[in-house]
Amino acid sequence: MITWLDCHCHILNGGAQDVEAMIDLQKEYGYESSNFLSVEGMDDAAQNALAIYFKLLNPNNYAMGGFHYRFDYDFAKEAKTLYDLGLDGMKMIENKPTERKRLGYAQDDERYDEFYSWAEKNNIPLLFHVNDPAFNWDPDNCPQWARDAGCFYGDGTYVSYEQILQETCNMLDKYPNLNICIAHFFFLSDNEPKIRELMTKHKNLKIDITAGTEMYYEFDAYPDLWRKFFIDFSDRIFFGTDNCYPAGEYDTKIAHEINALERDYLTRNDVFPLWDRTIQGGGYSDVVVQKIAETNFRDFAGQTPRKLNIPACIEYINDRLNNDKFKLCENERKTMEYIAKILGKYLPK
């Protein structure tokens, strides 16, 4: 019996009630534990509070904090603070192309150096989003759905796919002992030689198989090639879903299909339907599947989630509520006030 842990889930543009619903949803999917990834870099100052709440309501859950960019501050100090609160590591969304364009921070920006040095020295788990599929830059091959979602990057105003990849490789070269996972297979599922080269060179580099569906089409195109890759690197691949709490019936349908796809690819040895086509399952052994489904992430982030420091969490949230520089919107303020109130009920009597 495989035990499943989802290393990659979010609440986007939501509040505390969405966290509550998300926890229930993850249980329905059969995930023993989940890892919440804060995306404060997408300009939601309540994300770290939501990460705290995700752990508070289910201590079996992990959560990773993120950086905001509303004013200048010490990234290393903020990461240390979040880790001391009881969060399990750090998430960076800064080099998703849309955020890179908006923020202007390269993954190897020297302003992160102190943070990287601290994380490397202390073996802090890091999970980073880097790039998007390469076809999103291609004016001839970018799918219409990507254009409709604002994910066409070939108009000359975005940093190139190749530059973002190179800057991230620069960071990996400079900090070879970082305990790091690059999400979404590093968006290299169309380039087995490159991802194999990086995984071979950087012994601490991990990747997750959180869809992008394009990834699974690429696996299907070269099943023997990718089967060997998965087996060769079976200790450094994580299972993840990108689950968000679905906004409606259509989103719910798509989420169910993607969750089934990701598990079916690992466990099935036959051909099965995927929307308008079929793909070949990887059919990996139970030993390999269990590593990817749970064991590898726990080796990366800790066998059990870290315990929250409730008084420190309350202080952290209240400091934000009282800091005018954040210019909190109504939803951010409402969310953080609610979470601080709930945290207060967990204080020792």
Side-chain angles (χ1 to χ4, degrees):
M1 183 75 173
I2 303 298
T3 302
W4 296 90
L5 185 156
D6 181 1
C7 83
H8 193 132
C9 66
H10 300 284
I11 296 294
L12 302 178
N13 303 312
Q17 288 71 31
D18 297 295
V19 171
E20 296 162 9
M22 182 68 172
I23 289 173
D24 289 340
L25 182 69
Q26 292 295 88
K27 289 180 181 177
E28 289 178 22
Y29 281 129
Y31 300 130
E32 180 79 13
S33 178
S34 301
N35 181 41
F36 179 97
L37 299 173
S38 166
V39 287
E40 289 224 346
M42 297 179 80
D43 201 32
D44 179 356
Q47 282 283 310
N48 288 339
L50 293 172
I52 291 167
Y53 195 49
F54 193 76
K55 284 174 64 78
L56 179 75
L57 295 186
N58 185 347
N60 289 325
N61 284 339
Y62 297 80
M64 296 184 175
F67 297 128
H68 73 84
Y69 292 83
R70 295 193 175 178
F71 52 84
D72 290 336
Y73 63 104
D74 184 327
F75 290 121
K77 182 178 179 180
E78 176 72 358
K80 293 174 190 175
T81 296
L82 292 169
Y83 196 67
D84 288 343
L85 296 183
L87 295 187
D88 300 283
M90 291 297 294
K91 160 72 172 179
M92 293 186 77
I93 194 69
E94 285 79 345
N95 275 275
K96 183 175 174 65
T98 48
E99 306 316 310
R100 172 60 189 282
K101 178 180 177 179
R102 183 174 64 86
L103 299 172
Y105 276 69
Q107 200 68 71
D108 62 348
D109 194 301
E110 64 182 12
R111 289 170 287 187
Y112 295 132
D113 280 350
E114 187 178 350
F115 160 60
Y116 289 143
S117 295
W118 169 78
E120 185 178 50
K121 180 179 178 181
N122 293 280
N123 199 40
I124 305 300
L126 308 177
L127 204 157
F128 290 179
H129 184 120
V130 173
N131 260 327
D132 266 358
F135 57 65
N136 286 14
W137 279 261
D138 186 339
D140 297 323
N141 293 306
C142 183
Q144 189 59 48
W145 62 260
R147 293 176 181 270
D148 293 344
C151 296
F152 171 61
Y153 310 132
D155 63 1
T157 68
Y158 292 85
V159 177
S160 72
Y161 174 95
E162 292 79 12
Q163 182 176 337
I164 294 175
L165 175 59
Q166 184 57 56
E167 290 165 351
T168 306
C169 291
N170 294 343
M171 177 267 292
L172 293 171
D173 286 338
K174 188 172 182 179
Y175 298 98
N177 294 315
L178 283 176
N179 183 22
I180 186 169
C181 173
I182 304 294
H184 308 293
F185 219 75
F186 218 144
F187 292 104
L188 285 168
S189 59
D190 62 343
N191 192 342
E192 194 273 350
K194 184 62 176 179
I195 188 64
R196 178 175 287 276
E197 172 195 333
L198 292 172
M199 294 289 279
T200 301
K201 178 180 180 181
H202 301 288
K203 303 301 184 183
N204 290 317
L205 174 62
K206 278 75 67 174
I207 50 178
D208 78 29
I209 53 170
T210 301
T213 310
E214 83 288 336
M215 176 194 313
Y216 290 89
Y217 291 151
E218 296 289 351
F219 296 158
D220 179 61
Y222 303 97
D224 293 338
L225 180 73
W226 286 114
R227 180 176 176 80
K228 184 175 189 314
F229 180 93
F230 269 72
I231 292 171
D232 288 347
F233 297 102
S234 62
D235 293 333
R236 293 157 61 192
I237 300 172
F238 304 163
F239 174 85
T241 66
D242 224 359
N243 280 344
C244 300
Y245 187 64
E249 184 176 339
Y250 177 76
D251 286 346
T252 299
K253 176 178 179 293
I254 295 298
H256 280 299
E257 290 171 344
I258 289 175
N259 279 258
L261 154 68
E262 295 184 341
R263 288 179 292 210
D264 285 347
Y265 171 73
L266 292 173
T267 59
R268 292 180 63 161
N269 198 29
D270 60 342
V271 174
F272 60 90
L274 176 59
W275 291 315
D276 60 345
R277 57 177 288 182
T278 60
I279 69 168
Q280 171 66 51
Y284 299 103
S285 69
D286 286 353
V287 171
V288 169
V289 174
Q290 187 60 66
K291 288 179 181 181
I292 294 170
E294 180 194 30
T295 305
N296 294 343
F297 182 80
R298 291 197 190 274
D299 288 344
F300 164 72
Q303 295 303 309
T304 57
R306 304 181 73 244
K307 186 177 180 180
L308 289 173
N309 181 334
I310 301 296
C313 290
I314 295 171
E315 182 180 1
Y316 176 84
I317 294 172
N318 284 334
D319 283 348
R320 289 194 156 197
L321 287 167
N322 295 321
N323 188 339
D324 292 338
K325 290 195 291 184
F326 276 100
K327 296 182 171 58
L328 299 174
C329 72
E330 181 179 357
N331 184 64
E332 290 167 342
R333 182 168 293 278
K334 179 180 177 182
T335 296
M336 287 193 279
E337 287 175 342
Y338 177 83
I339 292 172
K341 181 179 178 181
I342 299 299
L343 281 164
K345 297 180 179 179
Y346 286 77
L347 288 170
K349 301 297 184 183

